[in-house]
Amino acid sequence: MTGQNAEFIPPARPVIGEAEIEAAVRVLRTGRVVQGPEVAAFEEEFAELVAGRHCVAVNSGTSALQLTLMALGLGPGDEVIVPSFSFAASANSIRLVGAEPVFVDIEPGSFCVDPAAVEAAVGPRTKAIMPVHLYGHPAAMDKLMAIAEKHGLAVVEDAAQAHGASLNGHPVGAFGTAGCFSFYPTKNMHSLEGGMITTADPALARTLRLLRNQGMEQRYANEVVGANMRLTDVAAAIGRVQLRQLADWTEQRRANAKFLDARISAMVTPPVADNARHVYHQYTVRVVDGDRDAAQQRLTDLGIGNAVYYPTPIHRLKPYLNADGEPGPWDLPETEKAAAQVISLPVHPSLSQSDLERIADAANVAGGAA
Ligand SMILES: *Cc1c(COP(=O)(O)O)cnc(C)c1O
C-alpha cells in the first residue's frame, strides 16, 4: 500500500500542451479569431466522429443544447423528457427556452435513461426526448429512437461526456435529431470552452447556423431572432489539436478502466451494456451497503482524487422544486440510489501504471472500510 505522502492523483487532468499553445498563438497572429477558417475546419474534422453528420460549432455544450431546442421551435407549453441523474445543464437548457423538463429514472446498469420510463412519460405536451450518455456510456438509443418515432418526438442527445462512444458500432451524436457535445476542459477533449451540434438534417443545420449568429447568414441581412453563441478560432484551433489525440486518449481511458475493473473488488465497478462502447469520461463505482462519505474520505487520505457526479439529482435542485420548495411528484428510485452510492475515480489518459495500481488498491481499502 502506498503511503500517505505519495503524490495526489487528481480526478481529471485537462491537457494544455505545447501543441495547443502553438495553435492558439498561430491563430491570434492571423487576426481571424471568431467563426473563421479554424471553426470551419473543426466542424469538418469533427464530422468524422459522427458518421459524417453536419456539425455546427458553438461556444459551449450548454449553448449546443439550448440552440438545438430553439431551432426545433421548443418553448412555453412544451415538455422534454430528460433523466434527473445528469448535470444541471441538461435540464437548464430546456428551461432556458421556456419549456419544461419531465424527469425520468435511469437504468441502474448504464446510469443512462430507462427507455420504459421514457415511454411511460410521453404525454400530449411532449415534444422531445433528451437522453444523456452519462459518464461516456451510450444511452439505449435503439430503443429510444423507436419510442421517438412511434410518438413523433425529436431526440436531442446530450453527448457532452461521450465523444467517440457508440452503440452497435453507431456513434453517439449520430442517432437523434441532433447530438450536442461539450469541449469544457475536463471533458474527454476540450477547446477551453466550446460545443458542437451534430445533425443529419441540412435544414436544421442551417437554422442552427443562423441562430448562433444573430439570425444572419449574410451580414446585416438578419432573417430571424438569433443569439450570439459563436465559437472563437482560438478555441477551434485548440479543439482540432485535441481531436487528433482523441482516439489515443479514448483507448487509454478504456485500457485504464479495464485494469481497474479487474483489480477493484470492494466496490461495484461500472457495468457496460451489450454492444456499447464506453469511453469512460468518468469511471464510476458504487459503494453498496456502506458509507459513501467515509469511502470518499479514505480515498482522499490515500491521495486519490475522487468526486460524486451528481450528489443531488436535478429534480432536487432548487430551481426545479415546486412552489412549496418540494421536489415534484417524480418517482425516481434508481436515480436516488445512484446519487447516494456513486464515486468517480480517476481514469484520465495521463495516469501511469503505478497510479492505476494505487487507485485500485485505495478503492479496495475504501470499499472494505466503508
Ligand atoms: C458538461 C456538460 C454539459 C454542458 O457543457 P458545457 O460545455 O459545460 O456548457 C451538458 N451536459 C452534460 C451531461 C455535461 O456533462
Side-chain angles (χ1 to χ4, degrees):
M1 184 56 45
T2 314
Q4 314 266 324
N5 296 327
E7 204 185 322
F8 184 74
I9 301 173
R13 193 180 279 152
V15 174
I16 302 179
E18 282 310 312
E20 283 82 354
I21 292 167
E22 276 168 26
V25 170
R26 175 175 53 75
V27 169
L28 287 168
R29 290 194 196 288
T30 68
R32 293 286 306 275
V33 291
V34 176
Q35 205 171 280
E38 290 291 330
V39 171
F42 188 30
E43 291 177 339
E44 199 165 297
E45 291 163 7
F46 197 83
E48 285 175 34
L49 206 64
V50 288
R53 286 191 154 198
H54 303 278
C55 291
V56 179
V58 290
N59 57 4
S60 75
T62 308
S63 293
L65 292 165
Q66 186 185 346
L67 203 70
T68 300
L69 297 176
M70 277 173 69
L72 293 171
L74 269 73
D78 296 333
E79 291 177 352
V80 179
I81 298 173
V82 66
S84 175
F85 195 58
S86 182
F87 182 47
S90 307
N92 284 350
S93 68
I94 299 165
R95 277 278 181 85
L96 282 167
V97 301
E100 269 304 301
V102 170
F103 294 113
V104 292
D105 213 355
I106 53 167
E107 293 182 309
S110 66
F111 295 108
C112 295
V113 74
D114 178 352
V118 169
E119 175 120 57
V122 175
R125 291 169 181 264
T126 309
K127 291 287 160 54
I129 305 170
M130 184 184 288
V132 182
H133 306 299
L134 201 71
Y135 305 145
H137 189 296
M141 292 310 299
D142 41 1
K143 292 180 189 152
L144 292 167
M145 291 310 297
I147 295 165
E149 209 152 297
K150 183 171 147 196
H151 297 280
L153 306 174
V155 176
V156 179
E157 296 175 66
D158 182 340
Q161 304 187 353
H163 319 69
S166 62
L167 184 67
N168 298 315
H170 197 67
V172 303
F175 284 94
T177 315
C180 297
F181 292 83
S182 165
F183 306 123
Y184 182 74
T186 57
K187 304 291 158 106
N188 287 23
M189 60 168 285
H190 77 82
S191 68
L192 306 180
E193 291 270 19
M196 193 72 81
I197 307 163
T198 61
T199 179
D201 178 352
L204 179 61
R206 180 170 191 271
T207 304
L208 289 165
R209 289 179 196 286
L210 286 175
L211 289 175
R212 77 173 163 182
N213 187 30
Q214 312 288 3
M216 297 187 290
E217 186 171 81
Q218 306 294 331
R219 188 176 295 188
Y220 309 134
N222 305 58
E223 300 175 35
V224 291
V225 173
N228 171 7
M229 294 186 181
R230 295 182 299 255
L231 188 66
T232 71
D233 280 59
V234 174
I238 291 171
R240 292 179 71 198
V241 171
Q242 295 254 320
L243 184 57
R244 287 197 277 278
Q245 300 168 88
L246 180 68
D248 287 347
W249 285 342
T250 301
E251 284 315 313
Q252 195 59 56
R253 283 178 183 274
R254 287 169 52 80
N256 292 349
K258 196 171 169 192
F259 178 88
L260 296 174
D261 282 348
R263 187 98 164 210
I264 294 174
S265 54
M267 293 178 172
V268 179
T269 57
V272 181
D274 288 345
N275 303 318
R277 178 179 154 86
H278 195 326
V279 294
Y280 296 98
H281 170 60
Q282 299 295 342
Y283 184 86
T284 302
V285 296
R286 285 181 194 254
V287 179
V288 190
D289 300 328
D291 183 341
R292 197 256 310 271
D293 292 349
Q296 274 201 282
Q297 189 56 55
R298 197 82 186 94
L299 287 164
T300 304
D301 291 345
L302 290 165
I304 310 302
N306 63 88
V308 172
Y309 306 107
Y310 296 90
T312 308
I314 303 174
H315 74 282
R316 290 188 178 279
L317 294 174
K318 193 174 169 202
Y320 296 95
L321 301 178
N322 65 23
D324 302 326
E326 297 290 333
W330 316 111
D331 180 28
L332 310 171
E334 294 298 340
T335 296
E336 307 283 4
K337 202 166 164 188
Q341 292 181 336
V342 296
I343 303 179
S344 292
L345 301 174
V347 73
H348 51 81
S350 320
L351 297 170
S352 67
Q353 187 57 34
S354 79
D355 288 340
L356 287 164
E357 286 167 13
R358 278 182 58 203
I359 294 162
D361 292 349
N364 286 332
V365 170

